[in-house]
Amino acid sequence: MAQTAGTARPPFPNYTQIPTRVPGWVWFALRAASIATALAVALLLVVNPERGRVLLWQVLVPSLPLVMLVVPGLWRNLCPMAALNQLPRMAGFTRGLAHTPQIREYSFVVGIALFFVLVSSRKWLFDGSGVASAALVLFGLGGAFLGGLVFKGKSGWCSSICPLLPVQRLYGQAPFAVLPNAHCKPCVGCTKNCYDFNPSIAYLADQYDDDRHYVGYRRVFAGALPGFIYAFYTVSTDESLPQIYAHFGLWCALSLALFQVLDVFLKLPRNRLTVVFGAAAIALYYWFVAPAMASGVEQLGGVSIPPAAPWALRTVVIGIALVWIVRCFRTERLFLEHVIQKTAQQGARVGENAAQAMRRASSRQQAEVVIQPDDQRIAASAGQSLLEVIEGCGGEIESGCRMGVCGADPIAVREGMENLSPAESDEKSTLERLGYAPNTRMACCAKVQQGRVAIALKPERRKLPEYPTSSQYDANIKDVVIIGNGIAGITAADYARRRHPVCAIHVVAEENHPLYNRMAITRLIYGRSAMQGLYLLPDKWYEEREVTCWLNTTASAVDPAAQAVTLATGDTLRYDRLILAMGSSSFVPEIEGHGGAGCFVVRSANDAMEIRRYAQATQARQAVIAGGGLLGLEAAYALTKLGVQVTVLDRNPWLLHRQLDEPAGQLLRRYLEGLGIAFQVSTEIRRVARSDDGHIYVRLSTGIEVPADVFIVAAGIAPNIALAQACGIATRRGVIVDDHMRTDVPNIYAAGDVAEFDGRIPGLWPVAAEQGEVAAVNALSGDRTYREPVAFTILKVVGADVASVGRVNPEGDGEEVIVHEDAAEYQYRKLVVDRSGRLAGAILIGHPTLMSGVTGAVKAQRDVTAELASLKVGDWSALQAT
Amino acid sequence: MDFTSFFNYENPDREPESASPVFLAQLSESGWSKLLGYAQHRRFAQGETLLEAGEQSRDFYIVANGRLEAVARTEQGKEFLLSAIEEHSIIGEQSFFDGLPRSATVRALSDGELFRIDAKALEVMSARDPALARDVVADLARILSLRLREMTQRLLRIVR
Ligand SMILES: Cc1cc2nc3c(=O)[nH]c(=O)nc-3n(C[C@H](O)[C@H](O)[C@H](O)COP(=O)(O)OP(=O)(O)OC[C@H]3O[C@@H](n4cnc5c(N)ncnc54)[C@H](O)[C@@H]3O)c2cc1C
Ligand code: SF4
Ligand code: FES
């Protein structure tokens, strides 16, 4: 809500905001009368000093402090000195000068000094002399008038050197009744923190000023005042002049010292002590002056005042002073609350354009995701995945494939499951593998559609821990051995157990980690979360499924005749069925000079951690990555995040040659360059050289030489086939399998990156998972034919938003290609439609909302003949996820 | 402290309000829409704590609507109000720059909405839309620099 200006009265109104009850001409008349009265008093003081002195010193002056405390505005408006001071301004003959810095600094001090000197001089001078008193009155009137002639506003007297000003400022700070300034029309800004301008805040503003001297003058006055008053009524007029002033000086000093000590030790809010001292001074004053006042009224009025009257006055004043203290304290609290927030560093603001844009954005986002237990409420637009939503608000979540196959990002849906896109097959099998409670979803796949969804970032355990296994199984199978603990091996173990509740299942794992998210290992290079974040299975996964996992153990030989696997530990595992899931290693082509310190590949978690360690230990500044494929680019981004300047080399003319066409590759390149990655394309590495001090230089076919503290080869994969070759299993690049994942040796199957089916080794996670499942089903006497999943890849570099699915280039004539590019907006989308009108492939850059719909449609090879016309003109709503 | 807003002699009717700097005042509405495209959109409820003092997170927020307050705690554990945050304010830009723990706790005084821009969003913005990212950073820097000037001014008054 905007501030409700005008409706509510501000807590500290200035004089234009305070209602005026007395018309201007009344003030005018009253002021004329007040000047006349002052002159008359002066006259009386001369002609009848006796009565004059009583009138001035026993009646008029003693009344003033109370007026200044209760209705300070009354005196400000009525004071004859002020009236004369303002005469030149009204009549238009003031010079209207501003104060010089010196005057500004010391005028208030002069006022204080005048007050102390003049009042203390009453003792020997004014109290006893009508003429002197008359002169004093005239001095005040004349001084005020002269000041008004020279200086602007009230700065010639009333707001500068007037001896009554310190008293008025101190006591006027919490008026019981506020009368607005009737003088200044308009304000000319003559004085700092003007009382006449803003009565209720002026004194506090003084007290909280940054300038300690400015504050100090005012505090000294308040601190000395009680002592001064006491001195006034205890000094003996018989003393000599120096003694009289010494008496005043002593008491003022005592009073000030007390003030200082209390100030230091009580640690009160700044204005409290001044208020307390002010109240003490005024109570003290009326305590002493009350009898004199009573007698003054008696003398002048010729009436007799009851003897209790002074006591009554004392009591009343003490009462008022106490109430005043409370009012002052309250005002200060209000001031602190209200003013500190106004004056403390104000946040920067945004302008109207931003407001408009925000309104527009708000109206677009209909859905809402609530993240428990903090109940963070995120506004989401339809089609956003929970993963995007969580990442966007900085929530703690892991991710890998971003397409439901790796299992990195399970979350619990607490409310609103019906408002999410339903789980599809990839996600379903991942969920089955993980085995959490039924309310679990993979955040990357669950897209918010509408309404409210409440989630928790930790998935819940399943109530029934037993594992659903089939009751019919092949009892002849007693031992299943799986070599490899990657996704192919683990999926195989999972399905083996589902199909066979009692057989022994052994998984031999060379690495020292349970199944982890290989796709996310580049995060180990730069991220804060270490290995822990990459583990993909719940704690007791192996245990619950009675799968024996041999971590850190290499299978060194297979004996197909004996149906046994020998481990490097010397153990032997007998098998009825063997599944080879050894995955692959990084392919490193022959490069002259390659090898040694600083040369790396990125295949395993340990590789990634070693790169991080090495880069930090050697304070690597530059890196070269050979290969502009998915892995190369992800590694490049990771090293950039470590602060390393990265150059990516590729022999092809554009990046992600297998997944993108040229314009898309170029667009991506510009984006990555924006992130600080450099590229050399259409080039080959000639050799790797080392300088004398061991620095690596990569010499390119273009003649360029790139220095590298770290050199990473990301040039594809080499399946781990040595073990299979050694025991006579047929291999080419990989272990050759049929559509049941059988090798040519009975009872031996292969799956994942190690397997070559139909001459192809896609080297993709979903393929490995699917093959692992098919291998296990068939190994355990089932019958499942493998169908290769449609290739789908995402570049896991922040903000790159690149997805490629299926076949991205047309083959032969008659295929339809639809391309829409908006390079300035970082958007590119392409569809390949085959001759029969079915979707064969797509590229999406910068179209997050199209992602799930388009990839789903391509995977399903949807017939788009009917929508072709609208797709061509850029309307892809038919493909948007529902 | 500066109380000039309560003594606005030239224009007594103006609301006392300090002239706070405007972030990206020149940016067009479509420019803003683009910028918000990189941001996270969050809703908050009255009483919710949005930022906790001492927390470390590299992000800043633009309040779309609703009111918030920033409070700090003294060493003795006394809480005091630092500032009231109205809609259309920017908060948190200091930690966004220096990455140090938040100096204040921010709580919602009403329901509302805000947009969050974190280091990652800025990273993506600078790769996709370098000019915009440059403007964002430069203008935040300008605002921080204004603050610094204010502090210097204040220091001058204090040490006088
Ligand atoms: C950085 C990176 C990013 C990737 N990104 C993607 C992506 O975005 N999308 C995608 O689809 N794919 C991606 N991949 C590929 C994907 O990770 C692999 O296709 C997948 O991991 C293959 O699984 P697998 O189980 O067949 O083999 P692996 O995961 O390689 O597992 C094989 C395991 O067997 C072990 N092993 C090997 N020999 C033996 C032995 N003799 N004895 C015991 N154990 C042995 C190995 O140590 C290894 O642990 C990426 C890969 C990397 C490295
Ligand atoms: S500052 Fe303005 S209101 Fe105050 S005395 Fe001067 S002219 Fe009058
Ligand atoms: S399953 Fe969601 S990131 Fe892999």
Side-chain angles (χ1 to χ4, degrees):
Chain A
M1 276 267 90
Q3 290 210 340
T4 48
T7 52
R9 187 166 147 186
F12 297 102
N14 64 48
Y15 78 105
T16 65
Q17 295 162 328
I18 302 167
T20 329
R21 292 199 199 81
V22 186
W25 65 265
V26 175
W27 282 122
F28 192 78
L30 287 174
R31 277 198 291 266
S34 137
I35 296 176
T37 310
L39 291 173
V41 170
L43 191 64
L44 184 69
L45 279 162
V46 178
V47 296
N48 186 348
E50 274 314 309
R51 289 186 76 81
R53 283 184 347 241
V54 170
L55 176 63
L56 181 64
W57 297 122
Q58 280 175 247
V59 177
L60 291 181
V61 167
S63 318
L64 280 184
L66 211 49
V67 172
M68 290 169 184
L69 187 120
V70 179
V71 235
L74 183 64
W75 182 249
R76 288 303 284 178
N77 283 345
L78 266 191
C79 168
M81 293 185 282
L84 279 172
N85 178 261
Q86 290 302 290
L87 203 59
R89 156 142 80 155
M90 271 171 52
F93 55 82
T94 173
R95 302 235 359 239
L97 298 184
H99 279 175
T100 66
Q102 288 290 326
I103 300 179
R104 200 177 307 133
E105 177 75 34
Y106 291 111
S107 58
F108 192 78
V109 182
V110 170
I112 295 174
L114 281 177
F115 175 83
F116 282 142
V117 169
L118 293 176
V119 175
S120 54
S121 302
R122 274 178 60 185
K123 282 296 163 190
W124 60 272
L125 179 61
F126 301 116
D127 279 3
S129 159
V131 176
S133 298
L136 184 62
V137 170
L138 292 178
F139 162 77
L141 294 174
F145 180 71
L146 278 179
L149 275 181
V150 181
F151 293 106
K152 70 173 176 178
K154 293 172 106 180
S155 66
W157 184 264
C158 314
S159 299
S160 54
I161 59 168
C162 172
L164 296 185
L165 180 63
V167 184
Q168 298 185 62
R169 300 280 307 219
L170 177 59
Y171 291 113
Q173 57 177 302
F176 287 75
V178 183
L179 288 181
N181 172 5
H183 280 299
C184 307
K185 287 178 184 130
C187 170
V188 294
C190 69
T191 183
K192 178 170 168 176
N193 297 349
C194 172
Y195 173 86
D196 298 295
F197 189 86
N198 196 328
S200 42
I201 209 175
Y203 196 72
L204 285 161
D206 281 351
Q207 289 297 313
Y208 281 88
D209 199 89
D210 285 333
D211 180 346
R212 67 197 161 95
H213 305 288
Y214 182 87
V215 182
Y217 305 142
R218 285 142 179 94
R219 292 175 78 75
V220 163
F221 178 74
L225 198 54
F228 182 79
I229 305 273
Y230 185 75
F232 187 89
Y233 287 103
T234 53
V235 72
S236 151
T237 40
D238 304 333
E239 312 271 6
S240 70
L241 273 192
Q243 277 175 322
I244 290 179
Y245 287 117
H247 183 84
F248 274 104
L250 184 70
W251 281 103
C252 284
L254 274 177
S255 181
L256 253 180
L258 182 65
F259 182 88
Q260 277 302 336
V261 171
L262 293 178
D263 196 21
V264 170
F265 287 99
L266 290 186
K267 302 186 178 66
L268 295 172
R270 195 151 329 157
N271 194 37
R272 290 222 175 157
L273 208 54
T274 40
V275 165
V276 170
F277 270 60
I282 202 167
L284 212 53
Y285 178 64
Y286 280 97
W287 187 269
F288 286 117
V289 86
M293 276 183 92
S295 91
V297 173
E298 247 171 5
Q299 285 177 46
L300 292 179
V303 291
S304 97
I305 300 258
W311 280 105
L313 181 60
R314 286 168 176 167
T315 318
V316 167
V317 170
I318 289 174
I320 290 179
L322 288 176
V323 176
W324 181 74
I325 290 180
V326 174
R327 290 173 58 87
C328 289
F329 285 6
R330 225 183 12 213
T331 314
E332 187 177 16
R333 199 168 52 235
L334 187 68
F335 170 83
L336 286 175
E337 277 167 13
H338 184 83
V339 178
I340 302 304
Q341 62 171 255
K342 283 282 178 212
T343 46
Q345 292 192 347
Q346 282 270 311
R349 326 196 103 235
V350 292
E352 192 39 44
N353 287 341
Q356 201 67 35
M358 288 195 287
R359 274 191 288 277
R360 192 102 55 79
S362 301
S363 63
R364 257 202 311 273
Q365 317 229 290
Q366 306 298 354
E368 178 171 292
V369 176
V370 179
I371 304 180
Q372 296 178 348
D374 293 344
D375 287 335
Q376 271 190 55
R377 294 159 64 209
I378 322 284
S381 45
Q384 247 187 321
S385 75
L386 288 178
L387 182 59
E388 289 165 333
V389 170
I390 298 165
E391 284 177 336
C393 69
E396 281 190 21
I397 190 153
E398 295 292 333
S399 68
C401 62
R402 309 187 77 91
M403 50 205 224
V405 296
C406 73
D409 56 349
I411 51 100
V413 179
R414 292 276 171 75
E415 283 164 45
M417 183 66 100
E418 67 284 0
N419 292 332
L420 293 169
S421 62
E424 295 187 13
S425 64
D426 280 346
E427 186 189 355
K428 273 190 193 144
S429 40
T430 305
L431 288 169
E432 276 173 27
R433 181 176 77 238
L434 296 177
Y436 285 112
N439 70 345
T440 310
R441 289 294 303 266
M442 303 315 303
C444 57
C445 290
K447 318 254 169 181
V448 189
Q449 290 174 316
Q450 81 254 323
R452 200 183 108 103
V453 180
I455 61 171
L457 298 186
K458 264 186 100 65
E460 292 162 20
R461 304 205 127 259
R462 198 169 24 204
K463 292 265 161 31
L464 298 171
E466 318 96 69
Y467 194 61
T469 51
S470 95
S471 51
Q472 293 177 325
Y473 54 89
D474 185 345
N476 294 325
I477 301 175
K478 303 233 163 22
D479 296 290
V480 175
V481 173
I482 297 165
I483 305 179
N485 188 29
I487 186 60
I490 289 304
T491 312
D494 185 19
Y495 277 88
R497 178 55 75 222
R498 291 192 209 195
R499 295 191 56 85
H500 201 307
V502 292
C503 69
I505 300 177
H506 292 271
V507 176
V508 187
E510 193 167 46
E511 291 184 77
N512 49 352
H513 302 290
L515 177 69
Y516 65 87
N517 191 356
R518 192 175 300 287
M519 293 182 284
I521 56 173
T522 54
R523 275 222 305 277
L524 294 172
I525 297 178
Y526 71 91
R528 269 189 299 177
S529 69
M531 206 50 214
Q532 204 55 40
L534 296 193
Y535 291 128
L536 288 179
L537 296 175
D539 291 343
K540 298 209 158 95
W541 193 90
Y542 292 92
E543 229 173 274
E544 276 172 14
R545 286 158 186 77
E546 291 180 60
V547 170
T548 313
C549 191
W550 298 69
L551 284 183
N552 225 347
T553 309
T554 308
S556 49
V558 175
D559 182 345
Q563 303 221 122
V565 176
T566 311
L567 308 184
T569 55
D571 296 285
T572 307
L573 296 174
R574 217 202 60 81
Y575 68 78
D576 296 309
R577 298 291 186 274
L578 174 64
I579 299 174
L580 304 177
M582 286 95 75
S584 59
S585 307
S586 293
F587 170 66
V588 181
E590 278 298 316
I591 303 173
E592 188 191 335
H594 179 259
C599 294
F600 295 96
V601 295
V602 194
R603 176 69 199 180
S604 66
N606 293 352
D607 291 339
M609 290 189 271
E610 179 56 18
I611 292 172
R612 180 190 177 100
R613 192 201 60 77
Y614 182 85
Q616 288 182 347
T618 62
Q619 301 203 313
R621 311 294 304 272
Q622 283 167 309
V624 169
I625 293 177
L630 288 168
L631 177 55
L633 297 182
E634 288 170 18
Y637 174 68
L639 281 165
T640 309
K641 295 289 277 183
L642 267 195
V644 178
Q645 167 62 54
V646 182
T647 306
V648 175
L649 315 175
D650 202 311
R651 67 154 80 100
N652 302 300
W654 68 86
L655 307 177
L656 296 188
H657 198 254
R658 272 167 59 189
Q659 290 86 6
L660 301 181
D661 59 9
E662 178 156 13
Q666 300 297 6
L667 185 62
L668 172 63
R669 175 175 168 175
R670 276 202 299 283
Y671 175 76
L672 296 172
E673 283 171 342
L675 289 180
I677 302 171
F679 294 94
Q680 294 283 340
V681 297
S682 304
T683 189
E684 307 236 2
I685 296 175
R686 282 281 168 269
R687 62 196 209 90
V688 172
R690 279 186 195 264
S691 65
D692 294 340
D693 55 358
H695 281 292
I696 302 175
Y697 292 88
V698 181
R699 162 72 62 86
L700 305 181
S701 56
T702 45
I704 296 173
E705 210 163 63
V706 195
D709 303 317
V710 170
F711 178 60
I712 296 176
V713 176
I717 57 171
N720 296 324
I721 55 172
L723 191 66
Q725 272 175 324
C727 67
I729 299 171
T731 59
R732 263 191 301 266
R733 259 186 76 216
V735 175
I736 299 171
V737 291
D738 65 8
D739 64 2
H740 280 57
M741 297 294 125
R742 285 180 292 233
T743 68
D744 65 337
V745 175
N747 297 332
I748 301 184
Y749 296 73
D753 278 11
V754 78
E756 175 176 332
F757 169 70
D758 210 7
R760 299 169 8 91
I761 308 172
L764 293 174
W765 185 284
V767 172
E770 177 66 18
Q771 291 184 349
E773 177 180 339
V774 172
V777 169
N778 291 325
L780 285 125
S781 312
D783 179 11
R784 176 81 66 84
T785 307
Y786 171 70
R787 276 192 48 219
E788 189 161 306
V790 174
F792 171 38
T793 44
I794 291 174
L795 179 63
K796 301 183 292 297
V797 169
V798 66
D801 244 336
V802 172
S804 161
V805 52
R807 181 159 58 76
V808 298
N809 289 306
E811 280 169 5
D813 299 335
E815 291 206 327
E816 194 78 58
V817 175
I818 301 169
V819 174
H820 295 284
E821 179 170 11
D822 185 347
E825 292 292 322
Y826 188 65
Q827 288 190 325
Y828 184 85
R829 50 191 169 142
K830 174 179 187 175
L831 286 179
V832 177
V833 184
D834 71 13
R835 260 171 297 248
S836 64
R838 292 177 178 280
L839 289 176
I843 296 174
L844 291 176
I845 297 184
H847 281 289
T849 52
L850 283 177
M851 181 111 84
S852 66
V854 170
T855 54
V858 174
K859 281 182 188 169
Q861 301 181 324
R862 202 160 108 190
D863 188 334
V864 291
T865 320
E867 295 103 3
L868 210 54
S870 51
L871 289 175
K872 276 185 184 165
V873 297
D875 175 8
W876 289 21
S877 52
L879 300 181
Q880 210 118 24
T882 44
Chain B
M1 252 165 273
D2 183 21
F3 307 104
T4 41
S5 61
F6 288 91
F7 299 95
N8 190 347
Y9 297 134
E10 271 109 74
N11 193 354
D13 288 332
R14 264 254 307 276
E15 273 281 307
E17 164 185 14
S18 67
S20 39
V22 177
F23 177 58
L24 292 179
Q26 306 304 322
L27 191 63
S28 67
E29 196 189 320
S30 64
W32 267 104
S33 293
K34 230 178 192 183
L35 195 156
L36 295 177
Y38 295 101
Q40 255 283 317
H41 189 173
R42 244 174 100 169
R43 300 201 174 112
F44 54 82
Q46 184 180 358
E48 192 177 331
T49 300
L50 288 142
L51 297 177
E52 191 86 63
E55 235 174 27
Q56 245 168 319
S57 61
R58 261 200 129 110
D59 42 20
F60 73 96
Y61 300 80
I62 306 165
V63 182
N65 54 63
R67 281 181 314 114
L68 307 126
E69 61 176 1
V71 294
R73 202 163 285 163
T74 63
E75 273 170 37
Q76 286 77 37
K78 214 167 88 184
E79 221 176 54
F80 64 94
L81 184 71
L82 278 182
S83 66
I85 301 159
E86 303 288 333
E87 63 175 358
H88 303 166
S89 305
I90 307 277
I91 48 176
E93 68 277 17
Q94 223 162 323
S95 293
F96 180 73
F97 265 99
D98 59 23
L100 295 177
R102 303 262 174 216
S103 48
T105 294
V106 173
R107 266 194 304 252
L109 295 173
S110 72
D111 291 1
E113 289 172 85
L114 47 72
F115 289 84
R116 167 180 183 271
I117 294 182
D118 61 2
K120 208 159 79 187
L122 190 74
E123 188 184 6
V124 175
M125 200 192 303
S126 28
R128 285 197 192 174
D129 210 331
L132 181 61
R134 210 163 40 229
D135 287 351
V136 168
V137 174
D139 217 44
L140 283 181
R142 178 184 67 92
I143 286 165
L144 289 180
S145 145
L146 281 178
R147 293 263 168 81
L148 209 60
R149 263 175 211 280
E150 250 170 55
M151 289 306 288
T152 315
Q153 287 297 325
R154 203 167 154 210
L155 208 64
L156 278 179
R157 289 200 300 267
I158 289 173
V159 301
R160 201 184 73 97

